Amino acid sequence: MAPSENRVKAAALWGKNKDELKSELDRLKGNLVTLRTQKIAGGASSKLNQIHDVRKSIARVLTIINANQRHQLRLYYQKKKYLPLDLRPKQTRAIRRRLTKEEASRVTEKQRKRQIHFPKRTYAVKA
């Protein structure tokens, strides 16, 4: 097993489809199992580095699978009225609770009449 075989670049994974990513994940998990058994059997210390590389590669593959899944969900919910909580913007709690721009700009009938009949006075102050 060559060391480069265990290391996977994320750029190479973006072009692959779901089935190819799953097969890549299965291959890496199989490699991890063999490396761990070799470690128990008293393998070389270089195997420990390979275990690290394989684990990180598995994480990369899973990250891309999850990113693709989230992208598909975003497309699915694009025209829907409600968005799942994990797809909504995180922001801060205060921002999420804040009035929307439409709600904040809304004016009651009484306020509107008061603004029409008693507009704010402007003064020309001599400098």
Side-chain angles (χ1 to χ4, degrees), residues 8-40:
V8 177
K9 299 279 185 186
L13 296 172
W14 282 112
K16 294 186 177 184
N17 63 19
K18 189 176 177 180
D19 296 329
E20 290 172 336
L21 288 170
K22 285 282 188 191
S23 64
E24 183 72 22
L25 186 64
D26 292 338
R27 184 187 68 79
L28 287 168
K29 284 185 176 181
N31 283 358
L32 186 61
V33 168
T34 56
L35 286 171
R36 282 187 172 153
T37 53
Q38 288 173 359
K39 176 187 164 190
I40 292 167

Side-chain angles (χ1 to χ4, degrees), residues 1 4 15 17-19 38 41 50 52 56-57 74 94 102 107 113 126:
M1 226 181 312
S4 62
N17 63 19
K18 189 176 177 180
D19 296 329
Q38 288 173 359
Q50 286 184 12
H52 176 267
K56 298 304 170 187
S57 295
R74 281 190 194 283
E102 293 80 25
V107 179
K113 284 182 181 176
K126 215 174 194 182

Side-chain angles (χ1 to χ4, degrees), residues 19-82:
D19 296 329
E20 290 172 336
L21 288 170
K22 285 282 188 191
S23 64
E24 183 72 22
L25 186 64
D26 292 338
R27 184 187 68 79
L28 287 168
K29 284 185 176 181
N31 283 358
L32 186 61
V33 168
T34 56
L35 286 171
R36 282 187 172 153
T37 53
Q38 288 173 359
K39 176 187 164 190
I40 292 167
S45 63
S46 64
K47 299 292 181 202
L48 295 173
N49 295 338
Q50 286 184 12
I51 289 173
H52 176 267
D53 292 343
V54 172
R55 287 180 63 234
K56 298 304 170 187
S57 295
I58 289 171
R60 283 187 195 99
V61 172
L62 286 172
T63 299
I64 289 173
I65 289 172
N66 288 333
N68 289 341
Q69 198 172 32
R70 287 176 67 84
H71 177 69
Q72 291 300 320
L73 284 170
R74 281 190 194 283
L75 292 176
Y76 175 75
Y77 283 106
Q78 205 169 24
K79 303 287 186 204
K80 303 276 191 264
K81 185 176 180 183
Y82 295 111

